[in-house]
Every structure is written in C-alpha cells, then in structure tokens.
Short mmCIF file of all heavy atoms in Angstrom, two decimals:
data_model
loop_
_atom_site.label_atom_id
_atom_site.label_comp_id
_atom_site.label_asym_id
_atom_site.label_seq_id
_atom_site.Cartn_x
_atom_site.Cartn_y
_atom_site.Cartn_z
N ARG A 1 16.43 -49.04 113.14
CA ARG A 1 17.85 -49.32 113.39
C ARG A 1 18.09 -50.66 114.07
O ARG A 1 19.19 -51.20 113.99
CB ARG A 1 18.44 -48.19 114.24
CG ARG A 1 18.49 -46.85 113.51
CD ARG A 1 19.14 -45.79 114.38
NE ARG A 1 19.19 -44.51 113.69
CZ ARG A 1 19.71 -43.40 114.22
NH1 ARG A 1 20.23 -43.45 115.45
NH2 ARG A 1 19.71 -42.28 113.54
N ILE A 2 17.06 -51.18 114.76
CA ILE A 2 17.27 -52.46 115.45
C ILE A 2 17.68 -53.55 114.47
O ILE A 2 18.41 -54.48 114.84
CB ILE A 2 15.99 -52.88 116.21
CG1 ILE A 2 16.27 -54.07 117.14
CG2 ILE A 2 14.85 -53.20 115.26
CD1 ILE A 2 17.29 -53.79 118.21
N LEU A 3 17.27 -53.44 113.21
CA LEU A 3 17.62 -54.48 112.23
C LEU A 3 19.13 -54.54 112.02
O LEU A 3 19.71 -55.63 111.89
CB LEU A 3 16.90 -54.22 110.91
CG LEU A 3 15.37 -54.27 110.96
CD1 LEU A 3 14.80 -54.13 109.56
CD2 LEU A 3 14.88 -55.56 111.61
N HIS A 4 19.78 -53.39 111.96
CA HIS A 4 21.24 -53.36 111.80
C HIS A 4 21.93 -53.97 113.03
O HIS A 4 22.93 -54.69 112.90
CB HIS A 4 21.71 -51.93 111.58
CG HIS A 4 21.17 -51.30 110.34
ND1 HIS A 4 21.65 -51.59 109.08
CD2 HIS A 4 20.14 -50.41 110.16
CE1 HIS A 4 20.97 -50.90 108.17
NE2 HIS A 4 20.06 -50.18 108.80
N HIS A 5 21.37 -53.69 114.21
CA HIS A 5 21.97 -54.25 115.43
C HIS A 5 21.76 -55.76 115.50
O HIS A 5 22.66 -56.50 115.93
CB HIS A 5 21.39 -53.55 116.66
CG HIS A 5 21.72 -52.10 116.73
ND1 HIS A 5 22.99 -51.61 116.57
CD2 HIS A 5 20.93 -51.00 116.93
CE1 HIS A 5 22.99 -50.29 116.68
NE2 HIS A 5 21.74 -49.90 116.90
N LEU A 6 20.58 -56.23 115.12
CA LEU A 6 20.34 -57.67 115.11
C LEU A 6 21.28 -58.36 114.12
O LEU A 6 21.83 -59.44 114.41
CB LEU A 6 18.88 -57.97 114.75
CG LEU A 6 17.85 -57.65 115.82
CD1 LEU A 6 16.44 -57.85 115.29
CD2 LEU A 6 18.08 -58.48 117.08
N LYS A 7 21.46 -57.75 112.98
CA LYS A 7 22.35 -58.33 111.98
C LYS A 7 23.78 -58.44 112.51
O LYS A 7 24.50 -59.41 112.26
CB LYS A 7 22.31 -57.47 110.72
CG LYS A 7 22.87 -58.12 109.47
CD LYS A 7 22.60 -57.26 108.24
CE LYS A 7 23.17 -57.91 107.00
NZ LYS A 7 22.95 -57.07 105.79
N ALA A 8 24.18 -57.43 113.32
CA ALA A 8 25.54 -57.42 113.87
C ALA A 8 25.70 -58.34 115.06
O ALA A 8 26.74 -59.01 115.21
CB ALA A 8 25.91 -55.98 114.26
N PHE A 9 24.69 -58.41 115.94
CA PHE A 9 24.87 -59.09 117.23
C PHE A 9 24.19 -60.44 117.33
O PHE A 9 24.60 -61.27 118.16
CB PHE A 9 24.37 -58.18 118.36
CG PHE A 9 25.14 -56.91 118.51
CD1 PHE A 9 24.54 -55.67 118.24
CD2 PHE A 9 26.47 -56.92 118.89
CE1 PHE A 9 25.26 -54.49 118.37
CE2 PHE A 9 27.20 -55.74 119.02
CZ PHE A 9 26.59 -54.52 118.75
N ALA A 10 23.17 -60.72 116.52
CA ALA A 10 22.45 -61.99 116.65
C ALA A 10 23.31 -63.22 116.38
O ALA A 10 23.09 -64.27 117.01
CB ALA A 10 21.23 -61.99 115.74
N PRO A 11 24.31 -63.18 115.49
CA PRO A 11 25.09 -64.40 115.23
C PRO A 11 26.03 -64.82 116.36
O PRO A 11 26.52 -65.96 116.35
CB PRO A 11 25.90 -64.02 113.97
CG PRO A 11 25.14 -62.91 113.33
CD PRO A 11 24.58 -62.13 114.48
N ASP A 12 26.29 -63.97 117.33
CA ASP A 12 27.30 -64.25 118.36
C ASP A 12 26.62 -64.78 119.63
O ASP A 12 25.81 -64.08 120.24
CB ASP A 12 28.07 -62.97 118.68
CG ASP A 12 29.29 -63.21 119.55
OD1 ASP A 12 29.31 -64.22 120.29
OD2 ASP A 12 30.22 -62.38 119.51
N PRO A 13 26.93 -65.99 120.08
CA PRO A 13 26.28 -66.57 121.26
C PRO A 13 26.59 -65.85 122.57
O PRO A 13 25.93 -66.10 123.59
CB PRO A 13 26.80 -68.01 121.29
CG PRO A 13 28.06 -67.98 120.50
CD PRO A 13 27.88 -66.93 119.45
N ARG A 14 27.59 -64.97 122.58
CA ARG A 14 27.86 -64.21 123.80
C ARG A 14 26.78 -63.15 124.06
O ARG A 14 26.59 -62.71 125.20
CB ARG A 14 29.22 -63.52 123.70
CG ARG A 14 30.42 -64.46 123.66
CD ARG A 14 31.70 -63.68 123.45
NE ARG A 14 31.66 -62.91 122.20
CZ ARG A 14 32.57 -62.02 121.85
NH1 ARG A 14 33.60 -61.76 122.66
NH2 ARG A 14 32.47 -61.38 120.69
N ASN A 15 26.10 -62.74 123.00
CA ASN A 15 25.12 -61.65 123.11
C ASN A 15 23.75 -62.16 123.51
O ASN A 15 23.47 -63.37 123.47
CB ASN A 15 25.03 -60.91 121.78
CG ASN A 15 26.37 -60.33 121.36
OD1 ASN A 15 27.17 -59.91 122.20
ND2 ASN A 15 26.63 -60.32 120.05
N THR A 16 22.88 -61.24 123.90
CA THR A 16 21.50 -61.57 124.25
C THR A 16 20.55 -60.64 123.52
O THR A 16 20.74 -59.43 123.49
CB THR A 16 21.26 -61.43 125.77
OG1 THR A 16 22.09 -62.34 126.47
CG2 THR A 16 19.80 -61.72 126.12
N ILE A 17 19.52 -61.23 122.94
CA ILE A 17 18.40 -60.46 122.39
C ILE A 17 17.29 -60.50 123.43
O ILE A 17 16.81 -61.58 123.79
CB ILE A 17 17.91 -61.05 121.05
CG1 ILE A 17 19.04 -61.10 120.03
CG2 ILE A 17 16.72 -60.24 120.52
CD1 ILE A 17 18.70 -61.91 118.79
N MET A 18 16.92 -59.34 123.93
CA MET A 18 15.92 -59.26 124.98
C MET A 18 14.59 -58.74 124.40
O MET A 18 14.51 -57.62 123.91
CB MET A 18 16.38 -58.32 126.11
CG MET A 18 15.41 -58.26 127.29
SD MET A 18 15.89 -56.97 128.47
CE MET A 18 17.45 -57.62 129.05
N ILE A 19 13.57 -59.58 124.44
CA ILE A 19 12.24 -59.22 123.95
C ILE A 19 11.41 -58.76 125.15
O ILE A 19 11.37 -59.43 126.18
CB ILE A 19 11.57 -60.41 123.25
CG1 ILE A 19 12.46 -60.93 122.11
CG2 ILE A 19 10.20 -60.01 122.72
CD1 ILE A 19 12.69 -59.97 120.99
N THR A 20 10.74 -57.63 125.00
CA THR A 20 10.10 -57.01 126.18
C THR A 20 8.62 -56.69 125.99
O THR A 20 8.06 -55.93 126.75
CB THR A 20 10.83 -55.71 126.54
OG1 THR A 20 10.75 -54.80 125.43
CG2 THR A 20 12.27 -55.96 126.90
N GLY A 21 7.98 -57.26 124.98
CA GLY A 21 6.57 -56.94 124.79
C GLY A 21 5.90 -57.87 123.81
O GLY A 21 6.52 -58.80 123.26
N TYR A 22 4.63 -57.64 123.58
CA TYR A 22 3.84 -58.49 122.70
C TYR A 22 4.41 -58.44 121.29
O TYR A 22 4.75 -57.38 120.77
CB TYR A 22 2.38 -58.04 122.68
CG TYR A 22 1.51 -58.95 121.86
CD1 TYR A 22 1.03 -60.14 122.39
CD2 TYR A 22 1.22 -58.66 120.53
CE1 TYR A 22 0.25 -61.00 121.63
CE2 TYR A 22 0.44 -59.51 119.76
CZ TYR A 22 -0.04 -60.69 120.33
OH TYR A 22 -0.79 -61.53 119.57
N GLN A 23 4.50 -59.61 120.66
CA GLN A 23 5.02 -59.73 119.30
C GLN A 23 3.91 -60.25 118.39
O GLN A 23 3.43 -61.37 118.56
CB GLN A 23 6.22 -60.67 119.26
CG GLN A 23 7.35 -60.29 120.21
CD GLN A 23 7.99 -58.97 119.84
OE1 GLN A 23 8.45 -58.76 118.72
NE2 GLN A 23 8.03 -58.05 120.80
N VAL A 24 3.51 -59.44 117.43
CA VAL A 24 2.47 -59.85 116.49
C VAL A 24 2.97 -61.03 115.67
O VAL A 24 4.11 -61.01 115.19
CB VAL A 24 2.08 -58.67 115.58
CG1 VAL A 24 1.18 -59.12 114.44
CG2 VAL A 24 1.40 -57.57 116.39
N PRO A 25 2.15 -62.08 115.48
CA PRO A 25 2.58 -63.20 114.63
C PRO A 25 3.01 -62.70 113.25
O PRO A 25 2.39 -61.83 112.66
CB PRO A 25 1.31 -64.06 114.54
CG PRO A 25 0.57 -63.77 115.80
CD PRO A 25 0.84 -62.31 116.10
N GLY A 26 4.11 -63.28 112.77
CA GLY A 26 4.62 -62.88 111.47
C GLY A 26 5.73 -61.87 111.53
O GLY A 26 6.36 -61.58 110.50
N THR A 27 5.98 -61.29 112.69
CA THR A 27 7.07 -60.33 112.82
C THR A 27 8.37 -61.06 113.17
O THR A 27 8.36 -62.20 113.64
CB THR A 27 6.77 -59.29 113.92
OG1 THR A 27 6.62 -59.97 115.18
CG2 THR A 27 5.48 -58.52 113.60
N ARG A 28 9.50 -60.37 112.96
CA ARG A 28 10.79 -60.98 113.33
C ARG A 28 10.86 -61.26 114.82
O ARG A 28 11.43 -62.26 115.25
CB ARG A 28 11.93 -60.07 112.89
CG ARG A 28 12.10 -59.94 111.39
CD ARG A 28 13.31 -59.09 111.05
NE ARG A 28 13.39 -58.82 109.61
CZ ARG A 28 12.78 -57.80 109.02
NH1 ARG A 28 12.04 -56.95 109.74
NH2 ARG A 28 12.90 -57.61 107.72
N GLY A 29 10.28 -60.35 115.62
CA GLY A 29 10.29 -60.57 117.07
C GLY A 29 9.58 -61.84 117.45
O GLY A 29 10.05 -62.61 118.31
N ALA A 30 8.44 -62.12 116.81
CA ALA A 30 7.71 -63.36 117.08
C ALA A 30 8.52 -64.58 116.66
O ALA A 30 8.53 -65.61 117.34
CB ALA A 30 6.36 -63.34 116.36
N SER A 31 9.22 -64.47 115.54
CA SER A 31 10.06 -65.58 115.07
C SER A 31 11.19 -65.86 116.04
O SER A 31 11.52 -67.02 116.33
CB SER A 31 10.64 -65.26 113.69
OG SER A 31 9.60 -65.12 112.72
N ILE A 32 11.80 -64.80 116.57
CA ILE A 32 12.91 -64.97 117.51
C ILE A 32 12.44 -65.63 118.79
O ILE A 32 13.08 -66.56 119.31
CB ILE A 32 13.57 -63.60 117.79
CG1 ILE A 32 14.31 -63.10 116.53
CG2 ILE A 32 14.55 -63.69 118.97
CD1 ILE A 32 14.79 -61.68 116.61
N ILE A 33 11.28 -65.18 119.32
CA ILE A 33 10.73 -65.80 120.54
C ILE A 33 10.41 -67.27 120.30
O ILE A 33 10.59 -68.12 121.18
CB ILE A 33 9.47 -65.04 121.00
CG1 ILE A 33 9.87 -63.77 121.73
CG2 ILE A 33 8.62 -65.90 121.92
CD1 ILE A 33 8.70 -63.01 122.29
N ALA A 34 9.92 -67.57 119.10
CA ALA A 34 9.53 -68.95 118.78
C ALA A 34 10.73 -69.88 118.63
O ALA A 34 10.56 -71.09 118.47
CB ALA A 34 8.69 -68.97 117.51
#
C-alpha cells in the first residue's frame, strides 16, 4: 500500500517521506534516499 501513498503524497513539497531502515540498492527506497 505504501506505493499508493507515495503516488499521492510524493509530488507535494509540504509532505515528508521518512526512510527508517536499510534500503537495498535498486529499490525505490534507495532511489529516494539517493
């Protein structure tokens, strides 16, 4: 379900995406941190 939330909230600069753990290279989480 996080994908639907990212799609809804990631475009708005008022929001925050909080990453809280190790992100395997090649995952969306790793791309966002990068």
Side-chain angles (χ1 to χ4, degrees):
R1 294 183 180 179
I2 190 62
L3 298 185
H4 298 282
H5 296 311
L6 287 174
K7 196 172 179 181
F9 296 113
D12 190 335
R14 294 176 301 172
N15 301 326
T16 298
I17 302 169
M18 184 188 295
I19 305 296
T20 60
Y22 184 81
Q23 304 295 305
V24 170
T27 61
R28 292 184 187 87
S31 297
I32 291 170
I33 281 183

